[in-house]
Amino acid sequence: MRAGRDLAAEDKMIETLNGATRVHFIVGDPIAQVKSPAGVTQAFGQRQQNAVVVPAHVAPADLANWLRGVSLAKNVDGIIVTVPHKFACCDLCGSTSDRARFLKTVNTMRRNADGSWHGDIFDGLGFVAAMRDNGCEPLGKRALLVGAGGAGSAIAHALVMAGVSGLAIHDEDAARRTSLVDRLATLGRAPVTHGSPDPAGFDIVLNATPVGMRQADPYPLEVARLSADMFVGCVITVPAITPLIAAARQLGCATMTGADMFGRVRDLMVDFLLGA
């Protein structure tokens, strides 16, 4: 039944695509792998909105000029931000949520009344919600997070706010990792430490890097050190089942995929873009 409703909503969106359609972009480099154009457009249709999401492949050096250009169009209401632009777009916002300001990163931007952009970040909230959907309550658990980029920063913040007993963060970029660890430590809610690719001893093991998108990629962490009592999650949506998730399932681990996260993040982004 849901597939039928989704197709009906998508057909309705196509029928109403016209000069009054409100435009939202998703910007990244690369961009071909993202699912947001169809998924968020479909969500707009389900809410009876005449709106569409359009992908934009923009290099980092061109980002500021691109944003200035699209900002001139009066029918552009929102921008979804993906790698590698989440930190840079935060700096380009006229205002942000407290969460985005703390993390210095955004994944969604909507227009302010003066035409500037207001940014927020929903990767962490959506990821933790998807964890709970898949039977993992982070409260009181020890977590290892690999990746301190835009999505990783948001997930780390959400885990700390959700009450993990401890969080270790690993990232090959030592400066980025240290910056995130130090900022999260100021919250005083849980010990936040520098981690490694070794997941032994953790209850929750999460990949927030793009490692696993390409067939030749190595594992983002030491899968031989996983055990069946661990919960393993990944942010990658393509492929649907990454080598990390496949290996974890073979060991008997409970898991969640990037698609699980995307569904939750999508709903939060649409609420935000529509002014909720």
Side-chain angles (χ1 to χ4, degrees):
M1 288 295 294
R2 179 177 178 179
R5 289 196 301 270
D6 289 349
L7 288 172
E10 187 172 349
D11 288 344
K12 182 176 178 60
M13 179 277 297
I14 293 170
E15 289 173 3
T16 59
L17 184 62
N18 52 40
T21 299
R22 308 307 298 177
V23 177
H24 303 257
F25 285 97
I26 175 166
V27 61
D29 182 21
I31 199 66
Q33 80 285 356
V34 300
K35 293 186 175 182
S36 294
V40 180
T41 298
Q42 188 177 85
F44 281 136
Q46 290 167 349
R47 301 191 191 197
Q48 308 302 309
Q49 300 294 315
N50 182 5
V52 65
V53 177
V54 180
H57 188 175
V58 180
D62 299 323
L63 181 65
N65 285 334
W66 174 83
L67 183 62
R68 280 193 290 270
V70 300
S71 297
L72 298 175
K74 303 300 185 183
N75 63 335
V76 175
D77 290 344
I79 298 171
I80 298 169
V81 187
T82 189
V83 292
H85 299 318
K86 294 182 180 183
F87 291 105
C89 277
C90 187
D91 293 335
L92 296 173
C93 285
S95 61
T96 63
S97 69
D98 292 341
R99 175 174 51 244
R101 190 175 307 112
F102 176 83
L103 292 168
K104 301 179 182 178
T105 182
V106 300
N107 78 334
T108 317
M109 301 158 61
R110 72 181 181 209
R111 290 275 198 172
N112 287 317
D114 64 0
S116 65
W117 294 97
H118 178 70
D120 206 339
I121 179 80
F122 302 107
D123 290 332
L125 295 179
F127 196 95
V128 169
M131 289 173 59
R132 290 175 171 141
D133 290 342
N134 286 273
C136 179
E137 170 53 57
L139 180 66
K141 303 289 198 322
R142 294 190 67 239
L144 170 66
L145 175 68
V146 179
S153 296
I155 293 167
H157 180 264
L159 288 169
V160 170
M161 300 304 289
V164 293
S165 62
L167 174 64
I169 300 172
H170 175 67
D171 194 290
E172 295 296 335
D173 186 328
R176 184 166 67 178
R177 180 185 69 235
T178 298
S179 174
L180 180 58
V181 168
D182 290 348
R183 273 182 288 139
L184 291 172
T186 66
L187 295 174
R189 298 180 66 97
V192 182
T193 60
H194 294 266
S196 76
D198 184 357
F202 291 94
D203 306 302
I204 299 170
V205 179
L206 307 172
N207 174 45
T209 77
V211 177
M213 289 177 60
R214 296 167 298 198
Q215 190 172 6
D217 282 350
Y219 290 114
L221 51 86
E222 298 174 14
V223 297
R225 301 280 284 170
L226 294 173
S227 58
D229 58 345
M230 296 174 177
F231 181 88
V232 180
C234 186
V235 301
I236 293 171
T237 57
V238 180
I241 306 299
T242 62
L244 170 63
I245 296 299
R249 289 181 176 178
Q250 190 170 12
L251 290 169
C253 300
T255 65
M256 64 164 280
T257 67
D260 295 326
M261 171 190 172
F262 171 74
R264 283 294 196 165
V265 173
R266 178 197 61 194
D267 292 342
L268 292 166
M269 290 191 303
V270 170
D271 284 344
F272 175 80
L273 290 169
L274 294 179

